[in-house]
Amino acid sequence: MNEQTKAIIKSTAPVLKEYGEDITKVMYRRLFDNYPEAKDLFANAAPDQYKKLASMVYAYAANIDNLGALQKGIEKVGKIHVGVKILPKHYPWVGEALIGAIGEVLGDAATPEVVQAWEEAYAFLSKVFIAKEEELYAA
Ligand code: HEM
């Protein structure tokens, strides 16, 4: 991610704080519509799971220039993901649903620049999770 991308992501933190839970609710709807097989993975997830996801997406945007602040959270979520057998192939499913949800909820505020920046930022965070989870699966 270049500095420009990081600046755009950071500028979306306030709207994510405000609309994050709307976005993640829509994200799950899109995920399960497009990939019904993902439902099984969430069989035992808490009903307010979307709130945790929203809060992490917000924390990511707010700390995009200081990712060390997310390290502990990534570790914890990585362990939970491994416990329910999340695999690398699942990340693009969530990415597509999340970026689509950002567009759907933010409407005109989701400019092409914002969408492009989130595509890059999501790809970056996916790689971090996938690497962490690979390490946990191997252990
Ligand atoms: C970068 C992308 C992702 C982020 C930021 C993220 C974030 C989170 C967070 C914050 C939690 C809650 C952990 C807790 O309970 O404290 C969680 C749990 C979960 N995530 Fe993810 N996640 C991501 C990708 C994925 C993917 C790709 C899948 C698979 C489709 C997935 C499936 C799950 C499931 C099933 C749980 C709940 C497990 C349970 O409680 O039974 N996540 N994730």
Side-chain angles (χ1 to χ4, degrees):
M1 260 182 298
N2 62 31
E3 292 308 313
Q4 161 106 16
T5 302
K6 287 186 192 174
I8 296 171
I9 294 297
K10 199 156 178 133
S11 78
T12 65
V15 279
L16 289 175
K17 187 160 200 160
E18 191 168 353
Y19 298 107
E21 293 186 6
D22 297 328
I23 291 170
T24 51
K25 270 192 223 165
V26 169
M27 192 285 277
Y28 284 117
R29 193 200 73 221
R30 296 177 78 106
L31 176 67
F32 297 150
D33 281 355
N34 292 336
Y35 302 97
E37 59 272 50
K39 286 182 197 164
D40 286 349
L41 298 168
F42 288 87
N44 297 311
D48 68 345
Q49 162 71 23
Y50 71 93
K51 293 188 184 173
K52 290 181 179 168
L53 179 62
S55 120
M56 188 157 212
V57 172
Y58 165 72
Y60 179 49
N63 292 290
I64 195 83
D65 46 5
N66 172 33
L67 290 179
L70 295 179
Q71 207 46 55
K72 277 200 177 136
I74 290 170
E75 186 94 24
K76 181 178 164 227
V77 173
K79 282 185 188 147
I80 292 170
H81 280 165
V82 166
V84 291
K85 305 238 165 8
I86 302 307
L87 298 172
K89 69 170 185 187
H90 298 133
Y91 280 84
W93 301 1
V94 165
E96 183 189 319
L98 180 65
I99 307 294
I102 289 174
E104 187 177 324
V105 173
L106 299 187
D108 289 346
T111 60
E113 290 74 21
V114 163
V115 170
Q116 159 93 35
W118 265 103
E119 280 168 353
E120 277 180 45
Y122 177 83
F124 185 89
L125 186 59
S126 301
K127 281 189 197 148
V128 172
F129 268 107
I130 289 169
K132 168 59 59 192
E133 288 159 18
E134 219 166 74
E135 195 184 297
L136 292 168
Y137 278 121

